[in-house]
Amino acid sequence: MFEKILIANRGEIALRIHRACREMGIKTVAVHSTADADAMHVRLADESVCIGPPASKDSYLNMSAILSAATITGADAIHPGVGFLSENADFAAMVEEHGFVFIGPAPEHIRLMGDKVAAKQAAGGLGIPLVPGSDGAVTTGEEAIEVAKKVGYPILIKATAGGGGRGMKVATNQDELLPALHIAKTEAKAAFGNDEVYMERYLSQPRHIEVQLLADGHGRVIHLGERDCSLQRRHQKLLEEAPSPALNENARAAIGERVTAAMKKLGYRSAGTIEFLYENGEFFFIEMNTRLQVEHPISEAITGIDLVREQIRIAAGIPLSIQQSDIVFSGHAIECRINAEHPDTFMPSPGLISDYHAPGGLGVRVDSGLYSGYRVPSHYDSLIAKLIVHGQTRNECLMRLRRALEEFVVEGVATTIPLHQRLIQASDFINGDYDIHWLERFVDTTGGETK
Ligand code: MV4
Protein backbone atom coordinates (compact mmCIF):
# COMPACT_ATOMS: atom_id res chain seq x y z
CA MET A 1 0.00 0.00 0.00
CA PHE A 2 1.16 3.57 -0.65
CA GLU A 3 2.91 5.46 2.11
CA LYS A 4 2.31 8.93 0.70
CA ILE A 5 -0.22 10.31 -1.79
CA LEU A 6 -0.07 13.73 -3.44
CA ILE A 7 -3.53 15.25 -3.89
CA ALA A 8 -3.44 17.25 -7.12
CA ASN A 9 -6.55 19.28 -6.45
CA ARG A 10 -8.10 21.87 -4.14
CA GLY A 11 -11.24 22.71 -2.18
CA GLU A 12 -13.73 20.21 -0.85
CA ILE A 13 -12.53 17.28 -3.02
CA ALA A 14 -8.94 17.67 -1.83
CA LEU A 15 -10.16 17.50 1.77
CA ARG A 16 -12.33 14.49 0.90
CA ILE A 17 -9.35 12.61 -0.55
CA HIS A 18 -7.17 13.63 2.41
CA ARG A 19 -9.74 12.10 4.78
CA ALA A 20 -9.69 8.73 3.00
CA CYS A 21 -5.88 8.71 3.06
CA ARG A 22 -5.76 9.63 6.76
CA GLU A 23 -8.14 6.79 7.63
CA MET A 24 -5.92 4.37 5.67
CA GLY A 25 -2.77 5.54 7.46
CA ILE A 26 -1.41 7.08 4.26
CA LYS A 27 0.47 10.39 4.49
CA THR A 28 -0.78 13.24 2.33
CA VAL A 29 0.87 15.97 0.30
CA ALA A 30 -1.28 18.99 -0.49
CA VAL A 31 -0.41 21.19 -3.43
CA HIS A 32 -1.81 24.70 -3.57
CA SER A 33 -1.62 27.97 -5.42
CA THR A 34 -0.70 31.18 -3.59
CA ALA A 35 -4.46 31.90 -3.39
CA ASP A 36 -5.07 28.67 -1.43
CA ALA A 37 -2.27 28.90 1.13
CA ASP A 38 -4.85 29.04 3.97
CA ALA A 39 -7.08 26.28 2.61
CA MET A 40 -8.27 23.57 5.00
CA HIS A 41 -6.73 20.67 3.05
CA VAL A 42 -3.35 22.46 3.23
CA ARG A 43 -3.74 22.85 6.99
CA LEU A 44 -4.62 19.19 7.54
CA ALA A 45 -2.17 17.56 5.10
CA ASP A 46 1.09 16.11 6.39
CA GLU A 47 3.04 18.25 3.93
CA SER A 48 2.18 21.02 1.48
CA VAL A 49 3.88 22.51 -1.57
CA CYS A 50 3.03 25.81 -3.24
CA ILE A 51 2.92 25.06 -6.96
CA GLY A 52 2.27 28.49 -8.40
CA PRO A 53 0.23 31.69 -8.64
CA PRO A 54 -3.59 31.66 -8.50
CA ALA A 55 -4.38 31.06 -12.19
CA SER A 56 -5.26 27.38 -12.71
CA LYS A 57 -3.05 27.13 -15.80
CA ASP A 58 -0.06 28.11 -13.66
CA SER A 59 -0.95 25.91 -10.67
CA TYR A 60 -3.51 23.10 -10.64
CA LEU A 61 -3.05 22.52 -14.39
CA ASN A 62 0.73 22.91 -14.18
CA MET A 63 1.84 19.31 -14.78
CA SER A 64 5.56 19.85 -14.24
CA ALA A 65 4.98 21.75 -10.98
CA ILE A 66 2.79 18.93 -9.69
CA LEU A 67 5.29 16.25 -10.73
CA SER A 68 8.12 18.24 -9.13
CA ALA A 69 6.12 18.45 -5.89
CA ALA A 70 5.64 14.68 -6.00
CA THR A 71 9.37 14.18 -6.53
CA ILE A 72 10.60 16.47 -3.75
CA THR A 73 8.10 15.05 -1.24
CA GLY A 74 8.70 11.44 -2.24
CA ALA A 75 5.05 10.70 -2.97
CA ASP A 76 4.21 7.21 -4.22
CA ALA A 77 0.98 8.09 -6.01
CA ILE A 78 -1.04 11.05 -7.24
CA HIS A 79 -4.81 11.45 -6.90
CA PRO A 80 -6.13 13.96 -9.48
CA GLY A 81 -9.52 14.51 -7.85
CA VAL A 82 -12.17 15.94 -10.19
CA GLY A 83 -11.82 18.54 -12.93
CA PHE A 84 -8.35 20.01 -13.57
CA LEU A 85 -6.07 17.17 -14.81
CA SER A 86 -8.34 14.29 -13.72
CA GLU A 87 -9.30 13.36 -17.30
CA ASN A 88 -6.05 14.43 -18.98
CA ALA A 89 -4.58 11.30 -20.55
CA ASP A 90 -1.21 12.99 -21.15
CA PHE A 91 -0.94 13.83 -17.46
CA ALA A 92 -1.87 10.28 -16.43
CA ALA A 93 0.83 8.95 -18.77
CA MET A 94 3.41 11.47 -17.49
CA VAL A 95 2.67 10.48 -13.89
CA GLU A 96 3.35 6.84 -14.71
CA GLU A 97 6.45 7.73 -16.80
CA HIS A 98 7.87 9.59 -13.79
CA GLY A 99 7.47 6.50 -11.60
CA PHE A 100 4.36 7.52 -9.67
CA VAL A 101 1.05 5.66 -9.61
CA PHE A 102 -1.87 7.56 -11.15
CA ILE A 103 -4.93 6.90 -9.02
CA GLY A 104 -7.38 6.47 -11.86
CA PRO A 105 -7.89 4.56 -15.12
CA ALA A 106 -5.29 3.60 -17.70
CA PRO A 107 -4.32 6.60 -19.89
CA GLU A 108 -5.67 4.90 -23.02
CA HIS A 109 -9.12 4.62 -21.47
CA ILE A 110 -9.06 8.26 -20.41
CA ARG A 111 -8.13 9.19 -23.99
CA LEU A 112 -10.74 6.90 -25.52
CA MET A 113 -13.62 8.28 -23.46
CA GLY A 114 -12.46 11.86 -23.96
CA ASP A 115 -13.25 11.64 -27.70
CA LYS A 116 -17.06 11.73 -27.78
CA VAL A 117 -17.35 9.91 -31.13
CA ALA A 118 -14.80 7.22 -30.27
CA ALA A 119 -16.41 6.82 -26.83
CA LYS A 120 -19.85 6.33 -28.39
CA GLN A 121 -18.52 3.81 -30.91
CA ALA A 122 -16.68 1.93 -28.15
CA ALA A 123 -19.75 1.94 -25.91
CA GLY A 124 -21.93 0.60 -28.74
CA GLY A 125 -19.40 -2.13 -29.42
CA LEU A 126 -19.50 -3.09 -25.73
CA GLY A 127 -23.29 -3.52 -25.77
CA ILE A 128 -24.26 -0.24 -24.15
CA PRO A 129 -27.47 1.24 -25.62
CA LEU A 130 -26.86 4.33 -27.79
CA VAL A 131 -28.94 7.22 -29.03
CA PRO A 132 -29.79 6.42 -32.69
CA GLY A 133 -27.65 8.58 -34.96
CA SER A 134 -24.74 8.74 -37.37
CA ASP A 135 -22.01 6.11 -37.28
CA GLY A 136 -19.21 8.48 -36.38
CA ALA A 137 -18.62 11.93 -37.82
CA VAL A 138 -20.78 13.52 -40.54
CA THR A 139 -18.96 15.63 -43.12
CA THR A 140 -21.27 16.47 -46.06
CA GLY A 141 -24.82 17.81 -46.31
CA GLU A 142 -25.89 14.78 -48.34
CA GLU A 143 -24.64 12.46 -45.60
CA ALA A 144 -26.50 14.51 -42.98
CA ILE A 145 -29.74 14.30 -44.94
CA GLU A 146 -29.39 10.51 -45.25
CA VAL A 147 -28.73 10.09 -41.52
CA ALA A 148 -31.68 12.31 -40.64
CA LYS A 149 -33.98 10.27 -42.90
CA LYS A 150 -32.88 7.11 -41.10
CA VAL A 151 -33.02 8.53 -37.57
CA GLY A 152 -35.97 10.91 -37.85
CA TYR A 153 -36.43 14.48 -36.61
CA PRO A 154 -35.75 16.34 -34.37
CA ILE A 155 -32.03 15.83 -34.86
CA LEU A 156 -29.18 17.02 -32.62
CA ILE A 157 -25.83 17.89 -34.19
CA LYS A 158 -22.95 17.57 -31.69
CA ALA A 159 -19.30 18.63 -31.89
CA THR A 160 -16.93 15.64 -31.57
CA ALA A 161 -14.56 17.76 -29.48
CA GLY A 162 -17.47 19.17 -27.48
CA GLY A 163 -19.03 17.78 -24.32
CA GLY A 164 -20.72 19.36 -21.35
CA GLY A 165 -23.34 20.83 -23.64
CA ARG A 166 -20.97 22.87 -25.76
CA GLY A 167 -21.33 22.71 -29.53
CA MET A 168 -24.87 21.33 -29.95
CA LYS A 169 -27.46 22.41 -32.53
CA VAL A 170 -31.04 21.12 -32.99
CA ALA A 171 -32.72 20.75 -36.40
CA THR A 172 -36.48 20.09 -36.23
CA ASN A 173 -36.91 19.41 -40.00
CA GLN A 174 -34.96 19.02 -43.24
CA ASP A 175 -35.11 22.74 -44.07
CA GLU A 176 -33.24 23.48 -40.82
CA LEU A 177 -30.73 20.65 -41.20
CA LEU A 178 -28.09 22.08 -43.54
CA PRO A 179 -28.00 25.56 -41.93
CA ALA A 180 -27.71 23.88 -38.50
CA LEU A 181 -24.92 21.64 -39.80
CA HIS A 182 -23.02 24.63 -41.13
CA ILE A 183 -23.42 26.61 -37.90
CA ALA A 184 -22.45 23.60 -35.75
CA LYS A 185 -19.26 22.99 -37.76
CA THR A 186 -18.33 26.68 -37.77
CA GLU A 187 -18.87 27.01 -34.02
CA ALA A 188 -16.99 23.75 -33.29
CA LYS A 189 -14.04 24.97 -35.34
CA ALA A 190 -14.04 28.27 -33.45
CA ALA A 191 -14.50 26.72 -29.99
CA PHE A 192 -12.39 23.56 -30.22
CA GLY A 193 -10.21 23.99 -33.31
CA ASN A 194 -11.96 20.90 -34.68
CA ASP A 195 -15.07 21.21 -36.87
CA GLU A 196 -15.96 17.50 -36.76
CA VAL A 197 -19.60 16.82 -35.80
CA TYR A 198 -21.87 13.81 -35.38
CA MET A 199 -25.68 13.46 -35.29
CA GLU A 200 -28.20 11.92 -32.92
CA ARG A 201 -31.94 11.81 -32.54
CA TYR A 202 -32.83 14.70 -30.19
CA LEU A 203 -34.41 13.50 -26.95
CA SER A 204 -36.66 16.36 -25.85
CA GLN A 205 -37.53 15.57 -22.21
CA PRO A 206 -34.99 13.09 -20.88
CA ARG A 207 -33.61 12.63 -17.39
CA HIS A 208 -29.85 12.57 -16.88
CA ILE A 209 -29.04 9.33 -15.08
CA GLU A 210 -25.50 8.11 -14.45
CA VAL A 211 -24.28 4.74 -13.20
CA GLN A 212 -21.34 4.54 -10.77
CA LEU A 213 -18.93 1.67 -11.25
CA LEU A 214 -15.78 0.33 -9.66
CA ALA A 215 -13.39 -1.95 -11.57
CA ASP A 216 -10.17 -3.44 -10.21
CA GLY A 217 -8.50 -4.14 -13.57
CA HIS A 218 -8.35 -7.85 -12.63
CA GLY A 219 -11.74 -8.66 -14.12
CA ARG A 220 -14.01 -7.68 -11.24
CA VAL A 221 -16.45 -4.84 -11.95
CA ILE A 222 -19.32 -3.77 -9.69
CA HIS A 223 -21.88 -0.98 -9.89
CA LEU A 224 -23.14 1.18 -7.07
CA GLY A 225 -26.47 2.01 -8.64
CA GLU A 226 -27.41 5.24 -10.30
CA ARG A 227 -27.58 8.97 -9.59
CA ASP A 228 -30.21 11.28 -11.05
CA CYS A 229 -28.43 14.47 -12.11
CA SER A 230 -31.23 16.04 -14.16
CA LEU A 231 -31.38 19.21 -12.04
CA GLN A 232 -28.85 21.24 -13.95
CA ARG A 233 -28.69 24.86 -15.09
CA ARG A 234 -26.53 25.64 -18.13
CA HIS A 235 -24.88 22.22 -17.68
CA GLN A 236 -23.97 22.95 -14.08
CA LYS A 237 -25.41 20.34 -11.74
CA LEU A 238 -27.10 21.87 -8.70
CA LEU A 239 -28.70 18.95 -6.85
CA GLU A 240 -28.32 15.21 -7.36
CA GLU A 241 -30.10 12.23 -5.81
CA ALA A 242 -29.68 8.47 -5.50
CA PRO A 243 -31.55 6.39 -6.38
CA SER A 244 -33.40 8.11 -9.21
CA PRO A 245 -37.12 8.60 -8.48
CA ALA A 246 -37.74 7.41 -12.05
CA LEU A 247 -36.19 3.93 -11.81
CA ASN A 248 -37.48 0.71 -10.33
CA GLU A 249 -35.43 -2.30 -9.16
CA ASN A 250 -35.60 -4.06 -12.52
CA ALA A 251 -34.46 -1.05 -14.55
CA ARG A 252 -31.64 -0.46 -12.04
CA ALA A 253 -30.40 -4.04 -12.23
CA ALA A 254 -30.73 -4.16 -16.01
CA ILE A 255 -28.64 -1.08 -16.72
CA GLY A 256 -26.18 -1.99 -13.95
CA GLU A 257 -25.54 -5.37 -15.52
CA ARG A 258 -25.10 -3.86 -19.01
CA VAL A 259 -22.56 -1.39 -17.68
CA THR A 260 -20.53 -3.87 -15.61
CA ALA A 261 -20.43 -6.40 -18.48
CA ALA A 262 -19.23 -3.66 -20.85
CA MET A 263 -16.50 -2.46 -18.48
CA LYS A 264 -15.35 -6.06 -17.92
CA LYS A 265 -14.95 -6.45 -21.67
CA LEU A 266 -13.07 -3.16 -21.90
CA GLY A 267 -10.71 -4.12 -19.07
CA TYR A 268 -11.45 -0.83 -17.29
CA ARG A 269 -9.77 0.02 -14.00
CA SER A 270 -10.75 2.43 -11.18
CA ALA A 271 -13.93 4.38 -10.50
CA GLY A 272 -15.95 5.43 -13.52
CA THR A 273 -19.37 6.81 -14.34
CA ILE A 274 -21.42 6.13 -17.43
CA GLU A 275 -23.86 8.94 -18.27
CA PHE A 276 -27.21 8.20 -19.89
CA LEU A 277 -30.21 10.09 -21.07
CA TYR A 278 -33.32 8.26 -19.87
CA GLU A 279 -36.60 8.76 -21.72
CA ASN A 280 -39.73 6.59 -22.03
CA GLY A 281 -38.10 3.79 -20.06
CA GLU A 282 -35.05 3.61 -22.31
CA PHE A 283 -31.39 4.38 -21.53
CA PHE A 284 -29.18 6.10 -24.11
CA PHE A 285 -25.40 6.46 -23.60
CA ILE A 286 -24.08 10.01 -23.82
CA GLU A 287 -20.66 10.05 -22.16
CA MET A 288 -18.33 8.22 -19.82
CA ASN A 289 -16.43 10.00 -17.04
CA THR A 290 -13.12 8.32 -16.24
CA ARG A 291 -12.75 9.94 -12.84
CA LEU A 292 -14.34 10.39 -9.43
CA GLN A 293 -17.33 12.76 -9.62
CA VAL A 294 -18.35 15.65 -7.41
CA GLU A 295 -21.62 13.90 -6.59
CA HIS A 296 -20.04 10.58 -5.57
CA PRO A 297 -21.06 10.96 -1.87
CA ILE A 298 -24.71 10.11 -2.54
CA SER A 299 -23.64 6.72 -3.92
CA GLU A 300 -21.49 6.27 -0.81
CA ALA A 301 -24.48 7.16 1.38
CA ILE A 302 -26.79 4.49 -0.07
CA THR A 303 -24.15 1.73 -0.28
CA GLY A 304 -21.79 2.49 2.62
CA ILE A 305 -18.81 2.14 0.28
CA ASP A 306 -15.94 4.66 0.45
CA LEU A 307 -15.25 5.27 -3.25
CA VAL A 308 -11.95 7.08 -2.72
CA ARG A 309 -10.65 4.27 -0.49
CA GLU A 310 -11.62 1.77 -3.20
CA GLN A 311 -9.87 3.88 -5.87
CA ILE A 312 -6.69 3.93 -3.78
CA ARG A 313 -6.81 0.17 -3.12
CA ILE A 314 -7.37 -0.55 -6.82
CA ALA A 315 -4.45 1.73 -7.77
CA ALA A 316 -2.28 -0.22 -5.32
CA GLY A 317 -3.16 -3.40 -7.20
CA ILE A 318 -5.48 -4.85 -4.57
CA PRO A 319 -8.41 -6.76 -6.09
CA LEU A 320 -11.91 -5.56 -5.16
CA SER A 321 -12.89 -7.10 -1.83
CA ILE A 322 -16.59 -6.51 -2.51
CA GLN A 323 -18.70 -8.30 -5.08
CA GLN A 324 -22.00 -7.23 -6.56
CA SER A 325 -24.00 -9.45 -4.22
CA ASP A 326 -22.38 -7.69 -1.25
CA ILE A 327 -23.89 -4.38 -2.31
CA VAL A 328 -27.11 -3.52 -0.53
CA PHE A 329 -28.81 -0.28 -1.50
CA SER A 330 -30.21 1.36 1.59
CA GLY A 331 -32.40 4.43 1.69
CA HIS A 332 -32.20 7.61 -0.28
CA ALA A 333 -29.59 10.37 -0.52
CA ILE A 334 -29.61 13.89 -1.92
CA GLU A 335 -26.65 16.22 -2.48
CA CYS A 336 -27.04 20.00 -2.62
CA ARG A 337 -24.15 21.89 -4.17
CA ILE A 338 -23.57 25.02 -2.09
CA ASN A 339 -21.95 27.53 -4.43
CA ALA A 340 -20.63 30.98 -3.57
CA GLU A 341 -23.05 32.52 -6.03
CA HIS A 342 -26.09 34.77 -5.86
CA PRO A 343 -29.10 32.42 -5.71
CA ASP A 344 -31.01 34.41 -8.34
CA THR A 345 -28.39 35.72 -10.72
CA PHE A 346 -25.81 32.94 -10.19
CA MET A 347 -23.14 35.64 -10.26
CA PRO A 348 -20.00 34.50 -8.40
CA SER A 349 -19.72 35.84 -4.84
CA PRO A 350 -16.15 35.34 -3.55
CA GLY A 351 -15.14 36.92 -0.24
CA LEU A 352 -14.38 36.51 3.47
CA ILE A 353 -16.44 33.99 5.41
CA SER A 354 -17.42 35.95 8.50
CA ASP A 355 -19.44 33.16 10.14
CA TYR A 356 -19.78 29.46 9.39
CA HIS A 357 -21.83 26.69 10.98
CA ALA A 358 -22.34 23.34 9.28
CA PRO A 359 -25.48 21.28 10.00
CA GLY A 360 -25.09 17.85 11.62
CA GLY A 361 -27.08 15.02 13.08
CA LEU A 362 -27.99 11.54 11.86
CA GLY A 363 -27.71 11.20 8.07
CA VAL A 364 -26.18 14.66 7.49
CA ARG A 365 -22.73 15.06 5.86
CA VAL A 366 -21.05 18.29 4.85
CA ASP A 367 -17.98 18.10 2.57
CA SER A 368 -16.38 21.54 2.70
CA GLY A 369 -13.13 23.31 3.34
CA LEU A 370 -14.89 26.40 4.71
CA TYR A 371 -14.19 27.91 8.12
CA SER A 372 -14.89 31.27 9.72
CA GLY A 373 -12.14 33.61 8.55
CA TYR A 374 -11.52 31.71 5.28
CA ARG A 375 -11.45 33.83 2.13
CA VAL A 376 -13.25 32.25 -0.85
CA PRO A 377 -10.96 33.00 -3.80
CA SER A 378 -12.33 34.35 -7.09
CA HIS A 379 -10.01 32.27 -9.29
CA TYR A 380 -11.79 28.91 -9.23
CA ASP A 381 -15.24 27.38 -9.57
CA SER A 382 -17.79 28.52 -7.03
CA LEU A 383 -18.44 25.22 -5.22
CA ILE A 384 -17.71 25.81 -1.53
CA ALA A 385 -19.60 22.98 0.17
CA LYS A 386 -21.66 19.87 -0.53
CA LEU A 387 -24.54 19.03 1.77
CA ILE A 388 -25.27 15.30 1.53
CA VAL A 389 -28.32 14.03 3.38
CA HIS A 390 -29.43 10.41 3.77
CA GLY A 391 -32.76 9.03 4.94
CA GLN A 392 -34.39 5.62 5.02
CA THR A 393 -36.94 6.89 2.53
CA ARG A 394 -37.00 9.81 0.07
CA ASN A 395 -39.54 11.60 2.25
CA GLU A 396 -37.39 11.23 5.35
CA CYS A 397 -34.45 12.48 3.29
CA LEU A 398 -36.43 15.53 2.17
CA MET A 399 -37.53 16.38 5.72
CA ARG A 400 -33.92 16.04 6.96
CA LEU A 401 -32.61 18.10 4.03
CA ARG A 402 -35.04 20.91 4.80
CA ARG A 403 -33.89 20.91 8.45
CA ALA A 404 -30.19 20.80 7.51
CA LEU A 405 -30.52 23.71 5.08
CA GLU A 406 -32.19 25.77 7.83
CA GLU A 407 -29.22 25.07 10.13
CA PHE A 408 -26.57 25.87 7.53
CA VAL A 409 -24.87 29.22 8.27
CA VAL A 410 -22.50 30.77 5.72
CA GLU A 411 -22.06 34.52 6.24
CA GLY A 412 -19.87 36.85 4.14
CA VAL A 413 -20.70 35.52 0.69
CA ALA A 414 -23.97 34.91 -1.15
CA THR A 415 -24.77 31.19 -1.56
CA THR A 416 -27.23 28.89 -3.31
CA ILE A 417 -28.70 27.80 0.06
CA PRO A 418 -31.90 29.88 -0.42
CA LEU A 419 -32.32 28.44 -3.92
CA HIS A 420 -32.12 24.89 -2.54
CA GLN A 421 -34.67 25.79 0.13
CA ARG A 422 -37.07 26.96 -2.59
CA LEU A 423 -36.31 24.03 -4.86
CA ILE A 424 -37.09 21.31 -2.30
CA GLN A 425 -40.48 22.88 -1.63
CA ALA A 426 -41.54 22.70 -5.29
CA SER A 427 -44.25 20.09 -5.85
CA ASP A 428 -42.67 18.72 -9.04
CA PHE A 429 -39.44 18.13 -7.13
CA ILE A 430 -41.24 16.60 -4.15
CA ASN A 431 -42.98 14.27 -6.62
CA GLY A 432 -39.67 13.46 -8.36
CA ASP A 433 -41.33 14.70 -11.55
CA TYR A 434 -38.61 16.60 -13.42
CA ASP A 435 -36.36 16.32 -16.49
CA ILE A 436 -33.16 18.03 -17.65
CA HIS A 437 -35.00 21.24 -18.58
CA TRP A 438 -37.07 21.57 -15.41
CA LEU A 439 -34.57 23.57 -13.30
CA GLU A 440 -34.02 26.27 -15.92
CA ARG A 441 -37.79 26.76 -16.14
CA PHE A 442 -38.05 26.80 -12.34
CA VAL A 443 -35.29 29.41 -11.98
CA ASP A 444 -36.62 31.54 -14.83
CA THR A 445 -40.19 31.51 -13.49
CA THR A 446 -39.51 31.80 -9.75
CA GLY A 447 -36.15 33.60 -9.64
CA GLY A 448 -35.74 36.66 -7.45
CA GLU A 449 -37.93 35.32 -4.64
CA THR A 450 -35.16 34.49 -2.18
CA LYS A 451 -37.25 35.23 0.91
C1 MV4 B 1 -28.43 15.18 -25.74
C2 MV4 B 1 -29.67 15.77 -25.37
C3 MV4 B 1 -30.81 15.37 -26.06
N1 MV4 B 1 -30.73 14.47 -27.06
N2 MV4 B 1 -28.38 14.27 -26.72
C4 MV4 B 1 -25.70 17.94 -22.94
C5 MV4 B 1 -24.27 17.77 -22.57
C6 MV4 B 1 -23.87 16.41 -22.91
N3 MV4 B 1 -23.66 15.67 -21.69
C7 MV4 B 1 -24.98 15.82 -23.68
N4 MV4 B 1 -26.10 16.72 -23.53
C8 MV4 B 1 -27.29 16.43 -24.11
N5 MV4 B 1 -27.28 15.53 -25.09
C9 MV4 B 1 -29.52 13.94 -27.39
N6 MV4 B 1 -29.45 13.05 -28.40
C10 MV4 B 1 -29.68 16.72 -24.33
C11 MV4 B 1 -28.51 17.06 -23.71
C12 MV4 B 1 -28.59 18.03 -22.63
C13 MV4 B 1 -28.35 17.65 -21.31
C14 MV4 B 1 -27.94 16.36 -21.01
C15 MV4 B 1 -27.74 16.03 -19.67
C16 MV4 B 1 -27.95 16.96 -18.67
C17 MV4 B 1 -28.34 18.23 -18.98
C18 MV4 B 1 -28.54 18.60 -20.30
C19 MV4 B 1 -28.93 19.90 -20.61
C20 MV4 B 1 -29.13 20.25 -21.91
C21 MV4 B 1 -28.98 19.32 -22.93
Side-chain angles (χ1 to χ4, degrees):
M1 179 46 76
F2 309 121
E3 288 185 9
K4 189 182 285 187
I5 289 176
L6 183 144
I7 303 166
N9 216 296
R10 64 176 301 281
E12 62 85 16
I13 200 68
L15 184 55
R16 163 61 187 109
I17 295 163
H18 165 82
R19 285 172 168 157
C21 294
R22 182 64 104 215
E23 290 175 12
M24 297 170 79
I26 298 171
K27 292 201 176 306
T28 54
V29 178
V31 292
H32 64 89
S33 71
T34 49
D36 280 337
D38 297 332
M40 184 61 81
H41 75 284
V42 175
R43 291 182 168 201
L44 295 180
D46 294 282
E47 297 173 69
S48 65
V49 178
C50 180
I51 49 172
S56 296
K57 67 177 177 57
D58 301 323
S59 51
Y60 300 104
L61 293 173
N62 184 338
M63 297 189 209
S64 53
I66 291 166
L67 291 168
S68 299
T71 303
I72 59 176
T73 57
D76 305 303
I78 296 177
H79 196 305
V82 301
F84 293 125
L85 296 169
S86 63
E87 291 188 302
N88 184 313
D90 293 337
F91 177 66
M94 278 175 74
V95 166
E96 303 280 344
E97 282 152 20
H98 283 70
F100 306 107
V101 173
F102 180 78
I103 298 175
E108 65 264 24
H109 290 153
I110 299 175
R111 201 176 306 281
L112 170 64
M113 296 304 175
D115 172 331
K116 301 306 166 199
V117 166
K120 188 174 174 182
Q121 287 172 334
L126 293 165
I128 292 176
L130 303 178
V131 188
S134 59
D135 179 18
V138 166
T139 46
T140 66
E142 293 71 25
E143 205 180 336
I145 290 169
E146 284 314 302
V147 168
K149 276 183 188 150
K150 180 185 70 163
V151 167
Y153 289 93
I155 278 278
L156 188 64
I157 303 169
K158 291 182 169 180
T160 299
R166 296 177 304 160
M168 300 198 310
K169 278 279 172 287
V170 179
T172 57
N173 58 48
Q174 184 157 312
D175 292 345
E176 293 179 7
L177 183 61
L178 298 188
L181 179 68
H182 176 69
I183 293 168
K185 289 176 76 70
T186 307
E187 288 182 356
K189 183 73 179 169
F192 316 114
N194 172 354
D195 74 344
E196 196 176 85
V197 296
Y198 61 104
M199 291 165 65
E200 291 180 346
R201 182 191 320 144
Y202 178 64
L203 303 172
S204 56
Q205 297 174 307
R207 296 179 89 110
H208 179 195
I209 291 180
E210 58 188 28
V211 178
Q212 176 70 58
L213 62 99
L214 271 173
D216 63 10
H218 304 296
R220 182 168 284 184
V221 182
I222 58 174
H223 72 86
L224 280 77
E226 82 282 357
R227 297 185 288 259
D228 196 316
C229 304
S230 304
L231 293 179
Q232 312 196 11
R233 175 184 176 274
R234 297 184 185 177
H235 306 291
Q236 297 298 316
K237 296 169 183 169
L238 184 72
L239 178 152
E240 305 98 342
E241 62 179 307
S244 167
L247 294 195
N248 60 33
E249 290 294 308
N250 296 338
R252 176 167 303 114
I255 196 63
E257 281 150 28
R258 294 282 281 267
V259 162
T260 50
M263 290 301 108
K264 260 188 202 128
K265 270 186 240 161
L266 183 66
Y268 188 75
R269 181 191 72 225
S270 194
T273 296
I274 302 208
E275 291 189 13
F276 294 93
L277 293 178
Y278 182 74
E279 189 170 81
N280 300 329
E282 283 192 86
F283 287 93
F284 301 99
F285 172 86
I286 39 173
E287 293 176 22
M288 177 171 184
N289 301 319
T290 53
R291 57 175 165 76
L292 185 68
Q293 297 207 231
V294 168
E295 60 270 24
H296 76 274
I298 57 178
S299 302
E300 295 184 321
I302 63 169
T303 61
I305 291 169
D306 181 329
L307 277 162
V308 175
R309 174 183 303 168
E310 295 305 325
Q311 275 191 301
I312 293 169
R313 290 165 55 89
I314 287 166
I318 302 169
L320 273 175
S321 57
I322 31 181
Q323 53 193 358
Q324 195 65 51
S325 55
D326 298 331
I327 297 198
V328 176
F329 297 112
S330 169
H332 199 97
I334 294 175
E335 175 185 86
C336 291
R337 295 189 187 206
I338 312 299
N339 300 327
E341 291 170 352
H342 286 277
D344 312 319
T345 64
F346 298 90
M347 288 301 290
S349 174
L352 182 70
I353 302 296
S354 51
D355 198 4
Y356 178 72
H357 171 77
L362 176 65
V364 177
R365 165 179 169 180
V366 174
D367 277 17
S368 177
L370 288 193
Y371 56 87
S372 191
Y374 172 67
R375 181 170 292 280
V376 177
S378 58
H379 309 279
Y380 311 109
D381 71 50
S382 60
L383 181 69
I384 53 174
K386 294 174 343 196
L387 171 60
I388 300 102
V389 171
H390 179 266
Q392 291 185 338
T393 64
R394 188 171 187 265
N395 283 341
E396 181 182 288
C397 185
L398 284 173
M399 290 306 294
R400 186 164 285 158
L401 180 56
R402 182 180 303 172
R403 186 270 299 167
L405 284 166
E406 285 167 3
E407 277 183 30
F408 214 148
V409 175
V410 181
E411 302 292 346
V413 298
T415 75
T416 47
I417 291 172
L419 172 58
H420 284 295
Q421 290 177 304
R422 284 195 288 122
L423 169 55
I424 66 171
Q425 311 260 22
S427 54
D428 284 347
F429 176 72
I430 291 169
N431 298 330
D433 184 14
Y434 54 82
D435 63 29
I436 62 171
H437 304 297
W438 185 88
L439 182 61
E440 291 196 0
R441 284 198 301 271
F442 176 76
V443 166
D444 291 348
T445 53
T446 66
E449 301 160 17
T450 52
K451 46 188 177 299

